[in-house]
Amino acid sequence: MSKNTDELFKNVIAHAKEYGFVFPSSEIYDGLSAVYDYGQFGAELKNNIKTYWWKSMVQLHDNIVGIDSAIFMHPKIWKASGHVDGFSDPMIDNKDSKKRYRADQLLEERIAKLNEEGKTSEAEELQIEMDNALKAENLPRLRELIIEQNIKCPISGTANWTEVRQFNLMFSTQVGAIAEESDTIYLRPETAQGIFVNYLNVQKSGRMKIPFGIAQIGKAFRNEVIARQFIIRMREFEQMEMQYFVRPGTQKEWFEKWKETRLKWHLALGTDAAKYRYHEHTKLAHYADAAYDIEFEFPFGFKEVEGIHSRTDFDLSQHQQYSGKKMQYFDPELDENGKPYGNYVPYVIETSIGLDRMFLLTMINAYEEEDLSTDEKQDSRTVLRLHPCLAPVKAAIFPLTKKDGLPEKAREIMDTLKLDFNLQYEEKDAIGKRYRRQDAIGTPFCITVDHQTLEDNTVTIRHRDSMKQERVAAADLDKIIGDLVSWKNLLK
Ligand code: ATP
């Protein structure tokens, strides 16, 4: 990270805390690693991002419905999905510093360094060795590579390493009063399985015809060993996932469609397209026959925000096998030879976006330290140029002074608008200072009620981005705000 981008990232994190967007969890107890709380404006922004996703996925597609499945699920689900046996990272400890590292990440860092030094063939060779060891789950070989490369712990500076062990990322807990192994259940590490196990319930109760989708927004939990980059990698986070059930043989077509549709969703927010890229997975997960990430250029580099996966019929077939219940769909339509498609286990295309990563992306994109200096004086402001649909507060209402009936008039105007928009009332400090506070949380409009308002029912409305002010009738505010923050502007 260069000094500038490093500083930008630090400033965004500080801003998020100072203005009530994101707080470290349990802060008065010195925090809890990789867990964060969303504050008063963060919760609003997060809800607006969820609404944008939900509307575009569920409301705009008459063949996609949304559900809300429980976090706790039958433990066999995680056996069937492969998470009990396979959802783990290879970890290695340094015996001197007692610090734990992901063995593959230590090697990845070494490969990057070799490349930086121009030793590309050595880097390539190491990459192949590491990939082979990971594929074969050859943990001793991973350790050997770390020793051969003389990789040292950055804390202790020694190469005194333990064996490499697999560390499962799922959190477990016990149901009931007595702790028995059979009562162990897991906090879901992804929301997808809640959709798979309900696929027949939804299909039957909703009389859904293939292709159809099931969407869900919810918490997921992963015991990430290396927590870094603020809310990028958390132990408790939120996902917005959609599983699209298709006829076998059509998955490639749908995969391409969803890949495109999802990137369009991101770009509709006005983000510079150069900040996004697709990353194709060459090492595919056991369940996938194609996978792409949508990556965003964060200050620390490109990072996955969303995954588009062609999951084949793996999950439904596994649940069919483990539960003993048929997961088949009866397709009454005829193929080109006039033969009915009949019964089959559908194939699945998944779109899975991390809400917290989307939140951070949105904050970083919107954050600007704007220089407003003129020849006469130095001036600046920090403004969040959030899309108006996502802004936590749509308008702030200020009485010019705290007297002469202005607060009462401002409240009266606010009462006519607050059923439709999230508003803030502020009467403390000079107007200029109040403007700056609203700029910092991304409020598109500030409305000032002054003495003239008492006479002719007009107010001053000030626009966040241009900082221009105009005089308008209070009766028109509803339309002015409504036009700018309408979901129609985003969901075209
Ligand atoms: P990564 O490679 O970064 O660990 P992943 O490939 O394991 O991510 P998926 O299992 O595909 O991620 O999950 C889908 C989305 O959930 C990711 O694109 C990401 O936005 C989000 N996500 C995954 N793990 C975390 C986490 N620990 N904290 C916050 N968001 C996460």
Side-chain angles (χ1 to χ4, degrees):
M1 229 186 317
S2 76
K3 190 168 172 284
N4 274 351
T5 50
D6 188 22
E7 208 169 279
L8 165 74
F9 189 41
K10 279 194 187 135
N11 291 353
V12 170
I13 296 173
H15 189 86
K17 180 165 179 230
E18 186 181 348
Y19 286 94
F21 284 87
V22 182
F23 306 126
S25 158
S26 324
E27 199 185 8
I28 58 169
Y29 291 95
D30 294 333
L32 182 65
S33 172
V35 187
Y36 290 88
D37 296 335
Y38 286 85
Q40 63 277 32
F41 298 121
E44 295 286 349
L45 173 56
K46 206 174 172 202
N47 276 340
N48 292 340
I49 296 173
K50 284 190 213 180
T51 304
Y52 174 37
W53 186 84
W54 192 269
K55 278 182 183 291
S56 71
M57 299 301 270
V58 178
Q59 205 167 314
L60 296 194
H61 290 98
D62 54 14
N63 66 343
I64 301 181
V65 292
I67 64 163
D68 183 10
S69 71
I71 287 171
F72 290 150
M73 291 195 274
H74 196 289
K76 262 198 191 168
I77 287 171
W78 304 111
K79 250 334 232 181
S81 68
H83 284 82
V84 170
D85 297 322
F87 195 54
S88 49
D89 285 335
M91 306 305 301
I92 190 163
D93 294 14
N94 183 270
K95 289 184 193 162
D96 299 315
S97 67
K98 309 269 182 272
K99 283 272 167 211
R100 181 163 289 178
Y101 300 90
R102 263 176 66 175
D104 55 332
Q105 274 181 1
L106 286 179
L107 289 165
E108 291 281 8
E109 279 162 24
R110 176 77 187 139
I111 291 165
K113 187 135 186 275
L114 286 171
N115 275 323
E116 256 172 47
E117 291 167 358
K119 300 175 184 161
T120 46
S121 56
E122 246 181 87
E124 225 166 90
E125 213 171 285
L126 181 57
Q127 182 81 53
I128 294 169
E129 289 269 8
M130 182 186 83
D131 288 348
N132 287 342
L134 285 172
K135 227 184 209 158
E137 291 187 32
N138 187 345
L139 303 181
R141 181 67 192 136
L142 282 177
R143 181 172 188 272
E144 263 169 36
L145 290 173
I146 288 170
I147 306 273
E148 276 169 23
Q149 291 292 325
N150 198 20
I151 297 174
K152 294 187 175 129
C153 163
I155 312 258
S156 68
T158 71
N160 194 8
W161 297 108
T162 61
E163 296 306 311
V164 177
R165 279 166 298 196
Q166 287 290 9
F167 180 87
N168 196 295
L169 298 182
M170 281 198 296
F171 285 100
S172 60
T173 187
Q174 244 78 34
V175 281
I178 305 160
E180 282 178 28
E181 212 194 315
S182 58
D183 296 332
T184 298
I185 56 168
Y186 300 98
L187 298 188
R188 65 180 179 201
E190 61 176 27
T191 54
Q193 298 304 324
I195 293 178
F196 291 128
V197 297
N198 276 300
Y199 130 85
L200 271 186
N201 283 338
V202 174
Q203 192 271 319
K204 293 211 162 101
S205 59
R207 295 188 298 157
M208 311 296 289
K209 284 205 184 79
I210 271 186
F212 72 91
I214 306 179
Q216 160 154 248
I217 300 177
K219 291 263 181 164
F221 304 83
R222 295 182 188 177
N223 197 1
E224 301 278 4
V225 180
I226 292 129
R228 38 175 182 197
Q229 290 153 338
F230 192 41
I231 54 175
I232 283 278
R233 192 168 295 289
M234 304 204 285
R235 299 210 164 103
E236 174 180 342
F237 59 101
E238 228 166 324
Q239 291 186 312
M240 305 193 285
E241 295 198 308
M242 193 276 300
Q243 312 291 329
Y244 203 69
F245 300 90
V246 305
R247 203 175 271 156
T250 63
Q251 69 271 24
K252 277 212 163 55
E253 202 183 300
W254 286 112
F255 180 73
E256 288 306 320
K257 182 181 177 291
W258 280 111
K259 221 176 90 190
E260 255 174 55
T261 307
R262 291 304 307 149
L263 185 60
K264 273 194 199 147
W265 181 91
H266 286 267
L267 295 178
L269 285 166
T271 316
D272 175 7
K275 294 232 166 228
Y276 276 103
R277 73 176 185 198
Y278 287 121
H279 167 77
E280 183 181 3
H281 281 232
T282 43
K283 283 180 271 171
L284 290 173
H286 57 280
Y287 52 76
D289 71 359
Y292 268 77
D293 291 339
I294 294 178
E295 294 187 336
F296 176 77
E297 190 176 18
F298 287 95
F300 41 83
F302 274 96
K303 182 84 205 140
E304 170 183 350
V305 179
E306 173 156 6
I308 321 292
H309 309 125
S310 176
R311 290 181 81 125
T312 67
D313 60 353
F314 175 82
D315 301 270
L316 292 180
S317 299
Q318 287 289 102
H319 289 308
Q320 181 164 279
Q321 188 190 329
Y322 276 72
S323 68
K325 307 275 172 358
K326 281 236 172 322
M327 286 288 167
Q328 295 198 336
Y329 169 81
F330 176 72
D331 191 335
E333 289 187 26
L334 307 177
D335 67 14
E336 64 260 29
N337 302 319
K339 264 182 55 195
Y341 285 103
N343 282 311
Y344 55 80
V345 176
Y347 270 47
V348 173
I349 306 300
E350 165 183 79
T351 72
S352 172
I353 169 168
L355 177 55
D356 310 272
R357 287 189 195 177
M358 187 61 207
F359 182 100
L360 181 60
L361 175 169
T362 307
M363 288 288 285
I364 286 173
N365 244 342
Y367 183 89
E368 187 183 337
E369 290 166 14
E370 195 180 6
D371 186 2
L372 301 172
S373 299
T374 57
D375 291 344
E376 288 84 51
K377 70 172 179 118
Q378 292 244 315
D379 198 9
S380 68
R381 67 167 180 163
T382 301
V383 53
L384 281 191
R385 296 191 189 276
L386 293 168
H387 191 288
C389 289
L390 301 188
V393 177
K394 304 303 181 196
I397 310 224
F398 311 150
L400 185 65
T401 65
K402 282 190 214 166
K403 46 184 203 285
D404 304 334
L406 296 184
E408 290 75 9
K409 184 69 188 168
R411 291 266 183 207
E412 188 189 305
I413 293 173
M414 188 161 166
D415 285 345
T416 65
L417 300 168
K418 72 180 182 194
L419 287 179
D420 289 318
F421 310 110
N422 191 32
L423 304 176
Q424 264 221 322
Y425 174 84
E426 269 203 68
E427 56 178 30
K428 207 168 156 270
D429 295 324
I431 289 285
K433 247 191 175 171
R434 285 183 253 172
Y435 282 160
R436 291 298 148 88
R437 255 198 80 74
Q438 294 302 325
D439 288 343
I441 59 173
T443 307
F445 294 117
C446 290
I447 295 156
T448 305
V449 171
D450 56 20
H451 293 92
Q452 194 184 327
T453 314
L454 301 178
E455 286 161 26
D456 64 5
N457 253 327
T458 62
V459 294
T460 311
I461 185 162
R462 183 253 192 195
H463 300 258
R464 175 194 72 195
D465 293 341
S466 64
M467 296 195 290
K468 291 227 165 77
Q469 299 180 23
E470 53 181 326
R471 193 98 207 159
V472 302
D476 292 342
L477 285 172
D478 193 16
K479 179 161 172 23
I480 294 171
I481 304 171
D483 281 352
L484 190 80
V485 307
S486 164
W487 286 105
K488 286 189 194 126
N489 299 327
L490 251 185
L491 298 163
K492 277 177 229 155

